[in-house]
Amino acid sequence: MSSLEEKTIKSEEVFSGKIISLHLKDVELPNGKHSKREIIKHPGAVAILAITDDNKIVMVEQFRKALERTIVEIPAGKLEKGEEPALCARRELEEETGYECASLEWLISFYTSPGFADEIVHLYVAKGLVKKKDPAVLDEDEFVNMEELTLAEAVQYMKDQKIYDAKTVYAVQYLQLQEALAGK
């Protein structure tokens, strides 16, 4: 096979919700056979690795219905239609933590589950954090507790499965790598 591309023969939207839509696609495989694919369409999201002046990582704990439990995560949120990821990152940081940042640097963008979803997450590093007097408020259906963790505490949270999502694990391991490269 010279090409790995799957050609879409038919596509049907079978669900359209507030955040995602589900598409059922009939595809022709590289070998000429046919198959079906279930694809989740998502507008994309941002995640923010926010680091305080005393080198703590700003995290939020929230209940995740899909997991039926709370987990601790870096602040994150869905892109609004046409919204620039950096602006979304600043908005989400303020809404979820009350912080604004002096500097915001793009780190990487990655697909969360490319086998069935097109969701992309843009990860930023925020520094120079300052608490706002009148921060933006959370969405009416969003409830979080904020925590500030040292890198060692975050690593322990991963071992204890309090931190259990890919974007946060990635962010913590990025900091571990930076520390190792700096020879700390």
Side-chain angles (χ1 to χ4, degrees):
M1 285 185 271
S2 61
S3 173
L4 299 174
E5 183 179 349
E6 296 179 356
K7 295 177 185 162
T8 301
I9 299 166
K10 178 183 171 190
S11 181
E12 175 188 4
E13 184 177 79
V14 294
F15 173 78
S16 180
K18 180 179 170 186
I19 298 173
I20 63 162
S21 61
L22 172 62
H23 297 253
L24 184 59
K25 297 184 181 268
D26 292 331
V27 298
E28 181 181 331
L29 302 172
N31 64 2
K33 293 185 179 182
H34 292 177
S35 190
K36 293 192 181 289
R37 299 288 185 248
E38 297 167 354
I39 306 295
I40 300 289
K41 304 294 272 177
H42 186 281
V46 299
I48 307 98
L49 173 56
I51 303 169
T52 65
D53 289 342
D54 59 346
N55 219 27
K56 291 193 174 175
I57 309 162
V58 179
M59 302 272 191
V60 292
E61 178 187 30
Q62 58 187 318
F63 185 81
R64 292 301 195 179
K65 188 63 181 168
L67 305 178
E68 289 293 345
R69 60 174 281 200
T70 62
I71 60 173
V72 176
E73 307 171 51
I74 58 176
K78 178 180 73 68
L79 286 163
E80 299 299 331
K81 187 172 182 138
E83 186 176 29
E84 290 295 321
L87 293 176
C88 181
R90 288 183 182 279
R91 176 178 54 78
E92 288 292 341
L93 178 64
E94 183 181 336
E95 285 176 6
E96 293 191 3
T97 70
Y99 280 117
E100 62 184 348
C101 61
S103 73
L104 185 71
E105 180 183 344
W106 175 80
L107 181 59
I108 195 166
S109 297
F110 56 90
Y111 290 100
T112 59
S113 298
F116 65 88
D118 71 350
E119 179 188 25
I120 189 167
V121 174
H122 307 281
L123 179 58
Y124 289 86
V125 178
K127 293 185 177 176
L129 303 181
V130 176
K131 274 287 195 186
K132 287 194 75 171
K133 290 183 182 182
D134 289 319
V137 295
L138 291 165
D139 295 336
E140 65 181 30
D141 63 348
E142 193 172 27
F143 301 89
V144 302
N145 294 324
M146 191 178 73
E147 294 187 49
E148 295 180 4
L149 304 175
T150 65
L151 180 56
E153 290 168 332
V155 170
Q156 187 60 51
Y157 270 36
M158 289 186 334
K159 291 176 183 173
D160 296 341
Q161 296 180 345
K162 291 180 183 178
I163 291 176
Y164 213 50
D165 70 297
K167 70 184 179 307
T168 306
V169 169
Y170 185 102
V172 170
Q173 290 183 333
Y174 167 80
L175 288 178
Q176 285 182 295
L177 179 60
Q178 294 306 304
E179 189 174 272
L181 292 173
K184 293 182 180 178

